Amino acid sequence: MITGAQCRAARALVEWTREKLAGNSGVDALVIEEFERRITLPDRDICDRLQSALENAGAAFIAENGGGIGVRLKLNRSEVRRIGVLENEGGIVGTDAVP
């Protein structure tokens, strides 16, 4: 289950307002605000709906893995190809392709 901080960070990464997340998840914007501000903890169904909407927008949630929970922005295949092209333009080539 995601945390309020992850929700807020994911929203920032996908550049969504609370209202846009509300529209895409079916969760009231006030519930999202109170979750992000740690005022209330919604039930698992609401958290799952928020997480699903944010993942569909490009956020990837990182579970506790010894380094702490987090969130990052997924890259689509065309972005990965573009990064590959840029890396081959004289910079150091890395092995950081994102699936």
Side-chain angles (χ1 to χ4, degrees):
M1 190 162 86
I2 66 171
T3 67
Q6 281 180 301
C7 183
R8 186 175 57 252
R11 233 180 7 86
L13 287 170
V14 300
E15 299 178 359
W16 277 9
T17 63
R18 284 189 185 114
E19 290 72 25
K20 180 139 185 171
L21 177 55
N24 283 285
S25 66
V27 175
D28 187 84
L30 182 59
V31 172
I32 297 168
E33 179 181 1
E34 290 179 350
F35 176 46
E36 291 179 349
R37 294 180 63 208
R38 298 179 184 152
I39 296 170
T40 61
L41 179 62
D43 63 36
R44 183 168 199 84
D45 176 60
I46 289 174
C47 289
D48 289 345
R49 287 169 32 202
L50 294 171
Q51 182 172 347
S52 178
L54 290 163
E55 286 174 338
N56 288 336
F61 292 91
I62 302 165
E64 175 63 54
N65 59 4
I69 61 171
V71 63
R72 68 176 178 84
L73 190 59
K74 290 187 260 186
L75 300 176
N76 62 38
R77 293 197 187 283
S78 67
E79 291 168 323
V80 170
R81 280 193 296 275
R82 180 67 182 140
I83 290 169
V85 168
L86 293 173
E87 286 180 339
N88 289 325
E89 291 181 347
I92 299 171
V93 177
T95 58
D96 56 354
V98 178

